[in-house]
Amino acid sequence: MKVSVVVCTYTIDRYDVFTEAVESAIAQTYDPIEIVLVIDGNPEVYERAVEDFGDRENLIVSDNDENQGISYSRTRGAELASGEIVAFIDDDGVAEKDWIARLVDVYEETDAIAVGGDVRPNWQGERPEFFPEEFYWLVGCVEPGFADDGEEVRNTYGSNISYRREAFLEVGGYDPNTGRKGDKHLQAHEAPVGIRLLEQFGQGMVYTEDSVVYHTLFDYRGDFRWLLFRSFWQGYSKRVMDLLYPDAPDAKGDYLKWLFADRLPRRLRGLVRSPSGAAIKQLVAIGAFTMAVVLGYLYAIVTPGLVKKANK
């Protein structure tokens, strides 16, 4: 089956890492494959991408007329694609050479309608001492206990996610009102697609740990204040998803149960056996990030016209 890999970007500041993402897609061992680059309303980036990649075989470069956001751009990439499968990688991701081959293995061995893989952190500096691995999802990476290999989930993370193209487009692709767009903070744009696939086809996404993408984590992603800010807007976004899809399955309860019934007791036992400053800082961070998520969720509850605001 033919696979189309979609890579979207929007600013010249990320062009170097975007190039790494594109090159990692080009270097895939799987064939047949095509690459679709969507530049989100930036003529300077578009011209440079055409110069660097425009003469490559089986590679399309497109530019939106104006900045439309990541969700619109990804859906546009799927519309331009010709593959049976459409796979997405962030512009700051770097895929292992068998990334696509491993995703395709699942499609060929099962009736999967969507498949996602592992996203591992690639810190550009030292991993912050305070950062707890339980919150890797805050930076778009797979946290411990996310899912078992071969397990069906609602969705995986955006830097390693794929769909049968016709099904993806049939449910409307990504909602352009969610995802990164300018200073808009509504997140979780993968979740609505997963929910609509479940509603329409009765199938979720299969997780495979063998398909690996490394997510480039710049220094700012290790800033405590930035992480608190992101936690807050994650909570806000979760409330919006609850309102938009009230009957959809949600993993918040399972995650909190895992965090408080398994991970925190385990950490406390480890701290008693082997006290360390880093362990204490990580416990504090878990409490702070959790509280920020809760505050974001509560803020969304008291925000008037929340869904109307989200749809602007």
Side-chain angles (χ1 to χ4, degrees), residues 89-106:
I89 183 173
D90 284 345
D91 64 355
D92 53 4
V94 177
E96 289 193 346
K97 290 186 176 182
D98 62 352
W99 166 50
I100 293 298
R102 296 302 185 182
L103 293 176
V104 171
D105 284 346
V106 180

Side-chain angles (χ1 to χ4, degrees), residues 84-149:
E84 181 181 346
I85 305 299
V86 59
F88 299 97
I89 183 173
D90 284 345
D91 64 355
D92 53 4
V94 177
E96 289 193 346
K97 290 186 176 182
D98 62 352
W99 166 50
I100 293 298
R102 296 302 185 182
L103 293 176
V104 171
D105 284 346
V106 180
Y107 284 109
E108 291 182 337
E109 294 168 5
T110 71
D111 64 347
I113 199 169
V115 183
D118 194 7
V119 183
R120 299 177 185 175
N122 178 21
W123 294 98
Q124 294 307 283
E126 289 291 326
R127 171 185 166 184
E129 190 178 45
F130 68 82
F131 190 88
E133 62 181 3
E134 292 87 348
F135 277 78
Y136 261 130
W137 57 270
L138 266 185
V139 291
C141 297
V142 173
E143 72 275 11
F146 169 76
D148 293 329
D149 186 47

Side-chain angles (χ1 to χ4, degrees), residues 248-259:
D250 190 26
K252 290 193 299 294
D254 291 339
Y255 174 77
L256 290 173
K257 181 179 179 181
W258 170 77
L259 182 64

Side-chain angles (χ1 to χ4, degrees), residues 7-41:
V7 192
C8 307
T9 197
Y10 67 103
T11 174
I12 199 69
D13 294 339
R14 297 169 73 96
Y15 192 83
D16 288 344
V17 290
F18 165 69
T19 298
E20 289 186 66
V22 176
E23 292 290 358
S24 75
I26 292 171
Q28 291 299 298
T29 58
Y30 184 80
D31 187 60
I33 192 172
E34 74 172 351
I35 316 296
V36 181
L37 310 182
V38 180
I39 314 303
D40 193 12

Side-chain angles (χ1 to χ4, degrees), residues 8 13 55 66 72 82 89 94 99 110 120 146 174 180 189-190 201 206 226 241 249 252 263:
C8 307
D13 294 339
D55 60 350
E66 59 182 328
Y72 176 95
S82 61
I89 183 173
V94 177
W99 166 50
T110 71
R120 299 177 185 175
F146 169 76
Y174 287 112
R180 184 180 66 242
H189 62 294
E190 293 89 9
F201 298 100
V206 177
W226 183 88
M241 291 301 107
K252 290 193 299 294
R263 299 297 293 192

Side-chain angles (χ1 to χ4, degrees), residues 119-191:
V119 183
R120 299 177 185 175
N122 178 21
W123 294 98
Q124 294 307 283
E126 289 291 326
R127 171 185 166 184
E129 190 178 45
F130 68 82
F131 190 88
E133 62 181 3
E134 292 87 348
F135 277 78
Y136 261 130
W137 57 270
L138 266 185
V139 291
C141 297
V142 173
E143 72 275 11
F146 169 76
D148 293 329
D149 186 47
E151 183 179 345
E152 187 174 288
V153 297
R154 185 186 63 190
N155 59 271
T156 57
Y157 297 117
S159 207
N160 190 349
I161 198 164
S162 70
Y163 307 90
R164 292 193 185 270
R165 178 175 169 271
E166 287 188 3
F168 174 76
L169 293 176
E170 187 172 335
V171 299
Y174 287 112
D175 184 344
N177 297 301
T178 63
R180 184 180 66 242
K181 182 181 179 182
D183 61 356
K184 194 171 185 179
H185 303 300
L186 188 58
Q187 299 161 15
H189 62 294
E190 293 89 9

